[in-house]
Amino acid sequence: MATGVNEPVCASCNSERGAFQCRGCSKVFCFQHTTNHHQSIIQELDAIEHSRNLLQSTLQQTMAESSANVKALHDELTKKIDMWEEKSVEKIRQAAADARNDLFQLTINRGIKIQSKLEDLTQQIQHARQKSNFLETDVHEWSKKLEDLKEQLTKVPLVTVCEDYTKLISKISVSGLHKSEIFGLSTGNAGFEDNGKVVYVKNGNDIYTEVRGQCEYFSGVHTIFLHVEEYAHWILFGIISKSTPLQIHSYASSSCYGWYNGVDFVYAAGVCIGGQGIDVIANDRVQLTIDCDNRLIRLVNERSGRALELAVDIEKCPFPWQLHLNLNAQPTRVRIISSGEEHKTLSC
Ligand SMILES: [Zn+2]
Ligand SMILES: [Zn+2]
């Protein structure tokens, strides 16, 4: 069929007159190719359905394969939560029992104690009389003791119950490990391995090196699990503001918050404020919690159980924060085992 000069031609054969326009692609087709075009769209849909079915069966297979592992993980972590619950309840029961005992001693048992003191005094006096072995000073002393006992007996005991607000029970939380932290920046004397999971000191001793992680923290609570694979001396663990420039003596950077080993080397806003440091030795695993919501960092040594906490002044260390280490000597090697944000918080 011949076409007029300005008439659109079929997009498929490029010769016949375009009879129908497709609203999907806006192209025009002749009678025959309109049918073909429709068919090709149906085929596309068929292909999509086919890959959906494939995905569905892969998903079912993967879920079936991993369900045993997921169940094992769930059961293992549930045990940990159960243990925490048991230990916490035990701590509360023990504290209450101690308090009841103290209360009993200071109230009910008080009369029995006075009674026992009076018996001691009686024996002393009787003994002295039998042996005729006493002086005037002894008589005065016994008289005073007797007066004391009388006074104790007549007074209402001064006793109260008070609450100490220091933590008796540690908080428990469940972390979903989604965002992965890796080491990414250093001032030079650090090497990275295993796609940034590992950092180590390259050359010599006493060459300070700042190392930072790649994640940026500005909200939520995040925990980074680290394994100190090799340790010579001096590792600072902490955070720093992303806005602070890197420098080798980064413990003195104005937004540095963290701990060195030992005592007296705790840094806040780049100033050594003293206090208890970390007790890391080679092969230790530590948990660094970056709590943006409560503006603090916490470090727990899994081996010793030592837990340290440092409040962060947001004026001195503005968000976003970054994982910050300062390394110094060979051999030093630290691995990020995992990291993640806490989604659910179970607190007591
Ligand atoms: Zn055509
Ligand atoms: Zn079309």
Side-chain angles (χ1 to χ4, degrees), residues 22 24-27 29 37 41:
C22 170
C25 61
S26 301
K27 287 176 183 166
F29 298 97
H37 187 58
I41 297 168

Side-chain angles (χ1 to χ4, degrees), residues 10 13 30 33:
C10 169
C13 60
C30 65
H33 288 118

